[in-house]
Amino acid sequence: MSEHEISGLGMTSQRARQRLLARLQEEGIANWDVLGALHDVPRHLFIDEALAHRAYEDTALPIGLGQTISQPYIVARMSELLLGGRPLKRVLEIGTGSGYQTAVLAQIAEEVYTVERIKALQEQARQRHRRLDLKNIHYRYGDGWQGWAEHAPYDGIIVTAAPDSVPPALLEQLAVGGRLITPVGRELGAQELRCITRNDDGFDARTVEQVRFVPLVPGTTE
Ligand code: SAH
């Protein structure tokens, strides 16, 4: 991340960023690598200029095409669950969207593989990552229901849109000891965040909390 991006922030937004980090800690985010990543990645560069003044509020915001950039708390929580106290080599993200969660993952994992079904969003995210000089991100335009078999297995898989049930391909592409963090459920207001760990003889799943995500839609679109 270049010094220019950090120093380019006005004092107001630096203070807003500090306030956001304090709030995340109050809400129970305790992993320093995750807090450090949220501190370092300039969220205002991942949303439209018209909404940039709200970048450090703990809220989801529209990014166009009916999609949203996730709430910072959820980004932090999912990243923390994904890490689970061990180093992450390869991570797969389904739903690149604005590219913000991707950029956070790029700070805490060696290599990040990210899949998006809307080409315009993928291109925009790629440009933002280039501007921030992030070089450990790999992009696939395609249907996240299929994951990205070519680079499997992954130590961690994170899904940032909600399927109605856990996509089997993602379970298959998880390494033993790896974790899949995904919302499940189609109805807004009835989605649960699941943390699924692969062990030697199967999978352990637990429900973390209620969440709200846009749906994981099958197929791709231009
Ligand atoms: N992590 C993103 C969240 C974006 S919203 C962020 O913080 O900005 C979810 C994203 O998932 C959208 O960009 C949507 O286009 C994408 N998506 C939905 N269904 C998908 C699918 N089947 N495959 C890949 N991406 C999908």
Side-chain angles (χ1 to χ4, degrees), residues 38-135:
L38 268 101
H39 176 268
D40 290 348
V41 178
R43 190 169 182 256
H44 64 284
L45 297 184
F46 290 84
I47 49 193
D48 269 4
E49 252 173 78
L51 284 174
H53 65 287
R54 300 189 58 194
Y56 299 99
E57 290 176 17
D58 192 16
T59 178
L61 293 167
I63 56 171
L65 301 163
Q67 307 303 321
T68 51
I69 180 171
S70 303
Q71 178 193 2
Y73 166 76
I74 275 295
V75 171
R77 187 84 173 104
M78 290 175 82
S79 304
E80 193 169 72
L81 288 164
L82 196 70
L83 261 174
R86 74 224 146 96
L88 287 176
K89 278 202 175 141
R90 293 139 83 82
V91 166
L92 174 66
E93 176 193 39
I94 307 300
T96 316
S98 67
Y100 176 66
Q101 169 86 70
T102 327
V104 167
L105 293 172
Q107 315 295 309
I108 60 174
E110 277 179 32
E111 300 295 330
V112 182
Y113 298 83
T114 185
V115 183
E116 172 57 55
R117 70 182 282 278
I118 300 178
K119 198 138 219 173
L121 289 177
Q122 183 192 42
E123 271 317 304
Q124 201 175 36
R126 197 197 291 267
Q127 279 170 25
R128 288 165 173 158
H129 296 152
R130 200 174 293 139
R131 182 172 166 194
L132 294 172
D133 208 24
L134 298 175
K135 297 201 171 86

Side-chain angles (χ1 to χ4, degrees), residues 19-36:
R19 267 202 304 274
L20 173 62
L21 283 168
R23 184 182 159 136
L24 294 176
Q25 285 177 275
E26 275 164 29
E27 288 176 319
I29 306 300
N31 184 299
W32 286 108
D33 291 334
V34 171
L35 288 167

